[in-house]
Structure formats: structure tokens, C-alpha cells
Amino acid sequence: MALDFFSLKGRVALVTGGSRGIGKMIAAGFIAQGAKVYISSRKPAACDETAAELSKDGGECISLPQDVSTVEGCKALAERLVALEPKLDILVNNAGAAWGADFDEFPESGWDKVVNLNLKSPFFLTQALHGALSAAAEEDKPAKVINIASIDGIRLNPQETYSYHASKAGLIYLTRRMAARLIRDGINVTAIAPGAFASEMNRVARDHGEEIAKRIPSRRIGRDEDMACAAIYLASRAGDYVVGETIAVDGGVALASVGVG
């Protein structure tokens, strides 16, 4: 019988920031491939609503609302997850924030909020779930951690998003450092660097997609399935030999060094 390299049947996943945007795209893709998916976000109502929506067609999506912007929040989410699932096959660190302001006016609050959520939380949530990930790892089936970075961590965009740029660039290198350590426990750490996808965070792409598409080599913004497929690749058997890498899913923007506002 042929092996389905992209199947996630029997696997348990946790997607932070999973109630909308890129997190929701990834959660939907995982569910379509047979995974049991827990989604988390800081807004309980939105998290519950998305979980119900993604479970409509027979999929299994469970809401675990939690603010993970602090170490305490990361530990709390990990404890709640482990109480339900002693083993975790896939962790997607997607929860994130952005902030833009002129250099002379950029506030400390805009620095701390973004760096804490985008860079610190992926580390401490992975640390808190290290035991559950290690428990799921098998000799021929590593557990997976997928960090959601950004092409803004690879190249500059025209906007003054200082803490966002710094956090996403840092997350790419943190992915490498974590991968080098966790591979010995059977845990593969990788990252995805999305380009222009329509979402609440990227309102420019959401509201001006046709104009943005003109500056993208592929001549369109990202679709839900583009993000889902990249995440499925890394989470499944297909990506088992990929360690520490960051995959740009951006239609060629970062490669061509074309700014997308």
C-alpha cells in the first residue's frame, strides 16, 4: 500500500492564534488531513466560534483560549493541553502582533508587546510543551514545531515596523537554534515566512489585494491553501528531513527583493 506522505491522521496539533488569519488557514489544512487540532487565541468567543466552524464537516477542532503573551500564559496553556493530551505531535507558534510608528515616536509599549508575543512566547511555549512533544516523537516520526515568521524577517518592507521586523528576524534564527537542540529529542523545528495574505493583521493585503498583487512576482496574494499546504508539508512525513529551515511562502517577493506594503 502506498504511503500518504501528507497525511496527518492520528496526530494531535496545537495552533496558537488559530481563531483567524494564517492560524485558521493552517488549522483548517491540518483538519482536512485528519489531525485533531486544538486552537488557541486570547479571545474565548472567537476561539470557540472558529473551533465550531472547523468541526462542522466531521473534523475535530477544540477551543483552548489563552493569552500566551507572557511566560505564565504559555505555561497555563501547556498545562491545559497536557491535561487533555499527554502527547503533542505538532505545535504551531503562530500568535503574533504588529506595531507601526515613526522612529522618533515609536513607544516602548509597541516594542514590548510585539517582541514578547512574536519572539519570547514561541520559545517559552515550546519549552513548556517539551515533554509532550518528546513523548510523541518516535524513531521514524519526529514531533514538529513550526514557527510562523514573516518575509519581513528576511527583507525590509516600506513601513516603520521596527519591533515586528526585529522579532520576525529573531524568530528565524531562534528556529535554527531550537532545531539544533531539539532534534536530539526527536523534535523537528522549522519556520514559515508568509508574504501577503489577507488577514486582520495584514489589512493592506486584505483590502487592496489587487494592487498588492502587481508587486508580487506570482501576480497574486496568497490564498488559504497556499499557507495550509506549506504547513502540512512541514508537519507531515513529507517534511521529516527538514530541520531548522524557514520556508518563504510569498509568491517570490523575498527572492526578488520587491517591497510589498
Side-chain angles (χ1 to χ4, degrees):
M1 184 174 64
L3 178 64
D4 185 349
F5 293 112
F6 299 95
S7 174
L8 297 176
K9 290 181 180 178
R11 304 198 188 193
V12 175
L14 170 63
V15 181
T16 66
S19 67
R20 64 183 187 180
I22 284 172
K24 183 179 179 180
M25 297 173 199
I26 292 172
F30 284 178
I31 291 166
Q33 289 302 111
K36 179 181 183 180
V37 179
Y38 290 83
I39 60 170
S40 185
S41 72
R42 63 185 178 86
K43 296 182 179 180
C47 202
D48 293 346
E49 181 179 348
T50 297
E53 177 189 342
L54 296 181
S55 297
K56 278 183 180 178
D57 297 324
E60 195 169 8
C61 187
I62 301 96
S63 172
L64 277 182
Q66 179 67 52
D67 183 349
V68 294
S69 62
T70 65
V71 175
E72 291 75 16
C74 292
K75 290 179 178 178
L77 177 58
E79 289 173 1
R80 294 175 63 197
L81 188 283
V82 171
L84 299 169
E85 304 285 348
K87 297 181 180 181
L88 179 65
D89 298 285
I90 307 158
L91 169 62
V92 179
N93 287 309
N94 168 71
W99 196 295
D102 181 78
F103 178 80
D104 291 323
E105 300 174 357
F106 203 93
E108 182 180 11
S109 58
W111 185 271
D112 291 346
K113 176 182 178 179
V114 172
V115 173
N116 284 348
L117 188 56
N118 294 4
L119 185 57
K120 186 170 78 172
S121 291
F123 177 83
F124 283 102
L125 182 57
T126 304
Q127 182 190 69
L129 287 167
H130 185 197
L133 290 161
S134 297
E138 300 176 7
E139 184 176 354
D140 292 321
K141 193 188 80 172
K144 305 292 181 69
V145 175
I146 304 171
N147 296 323
I148 305 303
S150 169
I151 59 167
D152 288 0
I154 299 172
R155 65 89 176 106
L156 295 177
N157 73 35
Q159 301 167 353
E160 292 188 87
T161 52
Y162 298 100
S163 53
Y164 185 79
H165 273 94
S167 67
K168 293 301 186 179
L171 184 57
I172 290 171
Y173 212 91
L174 178 62
T175 295
R176 298 175 184 175
R177 178 61 263 179
M178 291 169 64
R181 166 60 180 85
L182 295 182
I183 188 63
R184 71 178 73 164
D185 300 323
I187 303 168
N188 283 13
V189 185
T190 56
I192 295 173
F197 282 79
S199 68
E200 183 65 23
M201 183 177 292
N202 193 340
R203 298 179 186 178
V204 176
R206 183 193 67 186
D207 299 336
H208 306 283
E210 291 185 7
E211 181 62 30
I212 295 299
K214 296 175 183 177
R215 289 177 263 164
I216 298 174
S218 293
R219 312 309 291 175
R220 65 175 177 84
I221 65 170
R223 300 171 183 146
D224 288 11
E225 57 266 31
D226 295 319
M227 185 52 53
C229 287
I232 290 166
Y233 163 65
L234 292 174
S236 68
R237 168 63 186 90
D240 279 0
Y241 208 54
V242 180
V243 179
E245 290 296 320
T246 295
I247 298 177
V249 183
D250 66 348
V253 171
L255 183 65
S257 296
V258 178
V260 178

